[in-house]
Amino acid sequence: MNGAKNDASVDAYTQLKTDFAAITAKSFQARLNEFVENKTPIIACTDDFFPELFTAMELPFYFSVRQGLEGAFHTGKGPEAVDGYSELGGSSSLCSLQKAAAYLLVKGKLPKPAAIVMTSTSCDAQTAVNELMSNYKPWAAVPRVSVDASFEKDEASMAYLGRQWMDCIPFIEKATGRKFDLDRLKEVCEESNKQCGLMFDFQELRRAVPSPVRADWGFIAYMTGRWAACGRPEATEWLQRLYDVTAQRVKDGLGIEGVKEKIRYAWFDILPCWSDKLFPRLEQAFGAVNLMDLYGYNAPWPVIDTSSLESIFTSFAKRFLIGNPMTRQIFSLSSVYGNDAVHIARNFKCDAMIMPSHVGHKDGAASHRVVKDMFRQIGVPFLVLGCDVFDERYMSPDVVFDKISTFFETAGLTGR
Amino acid sequence: MQSGLNSEVFDKFARIAGAINNSEVENWKKQGGKVMGYFCSFIPEEIFIAAGLLPFRMRATGSCGTDQADVYFSSNNCSFPRHCFNQALVGKYDFLDGLVVGTSCDNLRRIYDNWKISSVKTSFLYMMDRARTSGEPMVEYTLSELRKLKAGMEAHFKVTITDEGLWQAIRLTNATRRLQQQLYELRKADSPPITGAETVPIMVSSFSMPKEKYNAGLTTLLGELRGVAGSKAYRARIMIVGTGQDDTFLCDLVENQGGLVVMDQACWGARTMCRTIAETGADPLQAIARHHTLDVPFCAKMNAAFQKRAQFVLDMIKAYRVSGVIIEHFVSCEPWGVDSVMLKQRLDEAKVPYLQLVRDYIPSQIGQMTTRVGAFLEMIGGVL
């Protein structure tokens, strides 16, 4: 919780949190049980899929991988799901979030969808679990389509991906009985453009010294604008309020309440499920403030061009491939990850960069040297952890704290 | 078990497979030829051959460790790319004039990024994408990538890759595939004249020497094998499914304990040769794109292809009278790791016994693996 010198700011953030909870409670994700009971058709799809279409069609959906989070780690059942996955005899090195999603699937705890749309997305782990879902025997009769996302990022490749998604519309209509309306999609896209603009503007506020908010607000903004209420006016209004109250804090020169900011760093991966056991300690021990996580980082989102159906879907492809966090960094050359991290370090005045290198992120693990070299060139201390951002049993928060402490000390950042 | 194989050709293949650089590569280079290294079986050798280059499929043969590679990679990464890269860092791949890295898995594609910043100087370093899903629209995407690769090679190596050159290369590599198919046919017999451990170097060497010479050698060898009396003294017929297999480790593990490896669905084996590329059509690159996007049994990295992969395994189990399957993959291989979950379910339904082995490129716990394989063979084949 961020505090402020004045009550208005405190109240505003409290209200934002309350409203975020309310927005999330109304989201498709939160109401899956209701849809199952009412036999409302649901789409299962890949994470990072464009939610604009589902908002326009009022079509409930869930991301396969997000189930591992919502259904396991956020309910305290993460370790049980991870350990349960081992019964399946799959790869022990699989990301624990994917293990949880896979476990929930084979235990029949995921809602049976009316259709499955899988895109060959960011990482091997996610793609592999998508395959598991697509071949899950109890769902053998569920119609499914597999979309190919290109590693290339040129215009032709964007059009290639966009066309495949566009071709999914009749498939989705047939599988769910929902009708597609281009005008409605345009409305939603235009709202989504505003939301992504606000997410980016909010991010830019965090260049301020001291940082007006903690990193988790970036993730919360992402969840609101992309997951919970993409293209819905209530999310736009929420993001505007977040921007306004934070802009005021920047104007007033306010930092995070109770924290005398001495070290600015970024945690360039997913925020851990055990964040509360780490970041507050770093704040108190060192005045170290986390400015940004991967989902709070908005490389500018490509604007959705709503001039035609084709341009909309090509824009979706651009967002997916070069805008969306994780996909942008993972499904590309190491230099993209490195350049994004360097951009944050330089423009957000980071004293240090922490690369959590989540154990499931094999591509990231293989990018250390590339990124380290970049940081050596700009003279910003850089730490690679190798933790598990979901399952704290892999590397406890205490050990992570010790590693970061030593890193800060070695880099001469403490004692300021 | 022994098959009675005593062949100079085989010995040559074994020497070539047993090291990275070899006499054929050396001769090629001495004559002014250039060598193109590549990762993954979906990278088309045909383009390299049509450009007058010698294709060399990258492997980690002879690697003893990953000390140098681990400055770039993490121990969390798959050991195969780490060992391959380490071999490059210690100079074993200094003969390469180019390297094409396919965007296959998360671990392996990072070889491109790390090679670029490393001390290994390779004048042509290229990353090639391809469709990761099987289907007609994907053929066009893979084709566009092949065209870019061709253009890149023409510009760098100052060559022209003609359609006729590509068709010739396709006919050449198809001749290789057909010869290898004949080799595999011999393994269907009750008393195959060749073991799994002997098949591996024959397959691996095909990616490490000029195809014309390889084809001539394999033709001779096939003639020799037809005169070899194999042995029935094995206790189980095994199929290996998964990654790896650029060395004989797993086959040795099976065959030193009385099993016989008769078939595989592996990166260096049947997957590369069980289908041929169309030799007619308007566009040879399209024929190649179709082959790699629609026809081959695919590795686990290919989406929406599990059913096809699994059916291939089941068909081969029948055709080769396989009594048990060993599913193997490297640690940190997510595609095969999750694929194995699904494959095991299919094998359970088909009542086919299986054993899953997860290992590093240089396996540790050899004793444990030996025991597990031995117990598996005893379970399915009885005591020898």
Side-chain angles (χ1 to χ4, degrees):
Chain A
M1 235 301 280
N2 292 306
K5 272 189 182 172
N6 57 67
D7 289 338
S9 180
V10 170
D11 289 345
Y13 283 108
T14 305
Q15 191 60 51
L16 280 164
K17 272 264 168 89
T18 305
D19 294 343
F20 166 69
I23 288 172
T24 307
K26 286 194 303 187
S27 71
F28 289 138
Q29 176 70 42
R31 295 161 54 207
L32 287 176
N33 288 340
E34 171 198 321
F35 297 130
V36 169
E37 241 179 75
N38 295 341
K39 297 186 173 32
T40 307
I42 304 170
I43 298 276
C45 59
T46 335
D47 199 5
D48 312 333
F49 199 70
F50 48 98
E52 287 83 354
L53 180 67
F54 300 132
T55 300
M57 293 177 77
E58 283 303 330
L59 183 52
F61 70 98
Y62 66 86
F63 296 137
S64 49
V65 71
R66 200 174 143 195
Q67 298 314 299
L69 204 59
E70 307 282 342
F73 284 100
H74 283 180
T75 59
K77 293 194 160 74
E80 176 192 322
V82 167
D83 294 346
Y85 174 79
S86 64
E87 295 166 23
L88 306 178
S91 167
S92 63
S93 62
L94 189 71
C95 168
S96 40
L97 184 67
Q98 307 292 345
K99 285 183 185 176
Y103 177 77
L104 292 174
L105 170 69
V106 300
K107 290 299 174 187
K109 291 181 198 265
L110 295 187
K112 184 173 177 177
I116 300 172
V117 180
M118 291 298 167
T119 306
S120 60
T121 182
S122 337
C123 65
D124 287 346
Q126 179 144 300
T127 312
V129 172
N130 292 343
E131 284 296 292
L132 194 64
M133 177 177 279
S134 293
N135 289 284
Y136 180 51
K137 237 183 154 196
W139 296 357
V142 174
R144 76 273 323 277
V145 66
S146 185
V147 171
D148 182 46
S150 56
F151 197 80
E152 288 276 16
K153 306 290 185 284
D154 57 19
E155 288 293 328
S157 303
M158 305 294 181
Y160 166 66
L161 176 55
R163 239 182 349 260
Q164 290 175 75
W165 277 338
M166 206 165 74
D167 291 347
C168 287
I169 296 174
F171 164 79
I172 291 173
E173 284 184 309
K174 188 176 173 195
T176 65
R178 296 292 166 106
K179 280 294 157 215
F180 170 75
D181 181 324
L182 178 58
D183 288 335
R184 175 63 186 137
L185 180 63
K186 284 183 180 177
E187 272 174 29
V188 170
C189 288
E190 274 149 20
E191 200 69 35
S192 169
N193 281 340
K194 289 182 209 164
Q195 289 166 354
C196 288
L198 282 167
M199 281 160 59
F200 181 80
D201 292 341
F202 168 67
Q203 170 189 280
E204 295 299 287
L205 291 174
R206 287 176 279 148
R207 293 185 184 221
V209 179
S211 176
V213 292
R214 290 189 173 91
D216 56 348
W217 279 103
F219 184 41
I220 293 170
Y222 176 89
M223 282 197 283
T224 307
R226 299 304 300 154
W227 285 358
C230 172
R232 297 192 194 278
E234 57 263 36
T236 316
E237 188 266 338
W238 187 95
L239 287 163
Q240 186 67 62
R241 277 192 285 137
L242 176 68
Y243 173 83
D244 290 342
V245 68
T246 308
Q248 188 60 51
R249 288 182 67 76
V250 170
K251 212 169 156 189
D252 296 339
L254 297 174
I256 297 167
E257 189 192 14
V259 178
K260 190 168 155 51
E261 185 180 288
K262 293 178 188 170
I263 302 173
R264 294 165 64 89
Y265 69 95
W267 172 276
F268 209 45
D269 205 310
I270 300 168
L271 283 177
C273 289
W274 35 270
S275 289
D276 56 343
K277 296 179 187 176
L278 175 69
F279 299 129
R281 277 184 79 185
L282 291 171
E283 285 173 5
Q284 294 310 310
F286 304 108
V289 169
N290 180 14
L291 302 173
M292 190 83 69
D293 78 298
L294 197 63
Y295 274 89
Y297 173 63
N298 298 269
W301 290 86
V303 171
I304 303 172
D305 175 358
T306 57
S307 52
S308 70
L309 182 65
E310 222 170 55
S311 67
I312 288 175
F313 278 85
T314 303
S315 300
F316 285 158
K318 287 183 183 175
R319 281 196 164 189
F320 180 81
L321 290 174
I322 63 176
N324 213 82
M326 278 194 69
T327 308
R328 172 188 162 83
Q329 289 90 13
I330 289 171
F331 207 49
S332 193
L333 299 177
S334 298
S335 53
V336 172
Y337 186 99
N339 283 329
D340 284 351
V342 165
H343 169 78
I344 293 169
R346 276 194 171 136
N347 294 289
F348 290 76
K349 305 180 194 70
C350 287
D351 302 301
M353 176 63 67
I354 296 175
M355 187 169 167
S357 192
H358 168 57
V359 291
H361 293 164
K362 306 299 192 293
D363 60 282
S367 299
H368 294 166
R369 178 61 188 268
V370 170
V371 184
K372 251 186 224 173
D373 283 356
M374 286 177 162
F375 273 80
R376 202 171 285 130
Q377 280 180 22
I378 64 169
V380 174
F382 179 81
L383 171 70
V384 176
L385 282 172
C387 63
D388 187 321
V389 296
F390 302 104
D391 191 348
E392 64 179 78
R393 298 175 300 170
Y394 185 86
M395 184 185 287
S396 75
D398 284 345
V399 168
V400 173
F401 177 82
D402 286 344
K403 283 180 183 280
I404 297 176
S405 302
T406 306
F407 164 63
F408 284 160
E409 280 157 15
T410 313
L413 296 173
T414 57
R416 288 177 164 185
Chain B
M1 58 160 288
Q2 295 298 318
S3 72
L5 192 61
N6 181 10
S7 159
E8 275 182 26
V9 172
F10 174 78
D11 289 345
K12 180 174 178 179
F13 285 155
R15 278 195 305 274
I16 288 173
I20 290 180
N21 204 347
N22 62 67
S23 56
E24 293 295 338
V25 170
E26 282 170 1
N27 286 340
W28 182 271
K29 294 285 291 188
K30 269 195 200 126
Q31 288 162 37
K34 291 188 161 49
V35 182
M36 181 73 93
Y38 67 98
F39 278 104
C40 277
S41 56
F42 66 83
I43 299 293
E45 297 182 290
E46 290 79 10
I47 294 185
F48 309 146
I49 294 169
L53 306 175
L54 173 65
F56 192 100
R57 191 163 160 198
M58 306 291 284
R59 47 193 164 93
T61 309
S63 175
C64 300
T66 54
D67 294 348
Q68 297 205 31
D70 286 349
V71 174
Y72 298 81
F73 285 84
S74 155
S75 56
N76 197 23
N77 289 118
C78 174
S79 51
F80 177 68
R82 284 161 54 212
H83 278 282
C84 288
F85 189 50
N86 206 81
Q87 290 290 67
L89 289 168
V90 300
K92 299 293 186 193
Y93 278 107
D94 286 351
F95 58 85
L96 292 180
D97 298 285
L99 176 69
V100 176
V101 182
T103 53
S104 48
C105 67
D106 290 345
N107 294 280
L108 198 134
R109 62 182 161 88
R110 288 291 185 232
I111 284 190
Y112 173 84
D113 300 271
N114 288 316
W115 198 290
K116 221 170 159 188
I117 61 165
S118 74
S119 57
V120 185
K121 298 299 165 217
T122 307
S123 64
F124 181 78
L125 182 61
Y126 190 94
M127 178 174 260
M128 189 189 112
D129 195 19
R130 59 104 188 225
R132 263 162 294 276
T133 300
S134 181
E136 285 289 347
M138 290 77 199
V139 172
E140 289 307 307
Y141 179 73
T142 300
L143 177 58
S144 71
E145 288 297 296
L146 293 178
R147 288 193 176 121
K148 285 181 200 168
L149 172 62
K150 174 175 171 285
M153 284 179 57
E154 285 177 328
H156 179 84
F157 292 103
K158 308 275 186 283
V159 296
T160 304
I161 300 171
T162 63
D163 277 5
E164 185 44 42
L166 284 165
W167 284 125
Q168 277 180 19
I170 287 171
R171 286 192 288 269
L172 181 61
T173 58
N174 274 351
T176 305
R177 292 183 185 95
R178 289 186 184 107
L179 287 166
Q180 291 171 338
Q181 286 167 11
Q182 290 178 45
L183 176 74
Y184 271 61
E185 275 295 310
L186 295 175
R187 298 167 75 191
K188 282 183 176 172
D190 275 346
S191 318
I194 192 160
T195 65
E198 286 160 347
T199 305
V200 169
I202 297 172
M203 297 301 290
V204 171
S205 58
S206 77
F207 299 105
S208 312
M209 62 185 289
K211 286 282 191 282
E212 294 89 342
K213 286 192 171 184
Y214 175 81
N215 291 350
L218 184 52
T219 303
T220 303
L221 180 59
L222 284 169
E224 291 170 3
L225 287 173
R226 288 184 183 105
V228 169
S231 170
K232 263 195 194 179
Y234 52 83
R235 49 181 173 168
R237 295 169 68 90
I238 300 295
M239 177 173 182
I240 293 177
V241 178
T243 57
Q245 289 276 84
D246 70 348
D247 63 18
T248 62
F249 168 76
L250 198 48
C251 288
D252 287 338
L253 212 56
V254 170
E255 292 173 343
N256 289 344
Q257 298 190 82
L260 178 67
V261 178
V262 296
M263 188 46 176
D264 66 79
Q265 207 272 46
C267 290
W268 294 80
R271 199 150 64 230
T272 62
M273 60 73 174
C274 64
R275 306 275 187 272
T276 51
I277 301 175
E279 292 180 14
T280 54
D283 182 353
L285 282 182
Q286 187 167 68
I288 293 170
R290 291 189 70 82
H291 173 78
H292 286 292
T293 313
L294 299 176
D295 294 343
V296 297
F298 305 124
C299 87
K301 186 58 198 166
M302 194 61 138
N303 298 328
F306 169 72
Q307 297 298 337
K308 187 171 177 171
R309 261 194 310 279
Q311 193 56 50
F312 178 83
V313 172
L314 294 172
D315 290 345
M316 292 303 110
I317 287 170
K318 221 181 201 168
Y320 284 77
R321 291 170 295 117
V322 168
S323 26
V325 171
I326 293 181
I327 305 169
E328 68 84 37
H329 60 83
F330 295 125
V331 175
S332 294
C333 180
E334 324 296 26
W336 279 105
V338 176
D339 201 80
S340 69
V341 171
M342 299 186 286
L343 183 60
K344 285 186 292 189
Q345 287 168 358
R346 288 294 294 267
L347 293 175
D348 279 334
E349 287 161 16
K351 296 189 182 0
V352 175
Y354 58 81
L355 169 70
Q356 183 173 14
L357 293 176
V358 182
R359 64 173 181 116
D360 278 320
Y361 182 75
I362 296 181
S364 57
Q365 299 175 321
I366 293 176
Q368 203 183 78
M369 289 179 75
T370 306
T371 304
R372 291 184 66 207
V373 169
F376 178 61
L377 291 173
E378 200 172 302
M379 181 189 84
I380 61 173
V383 178
L384 248 185

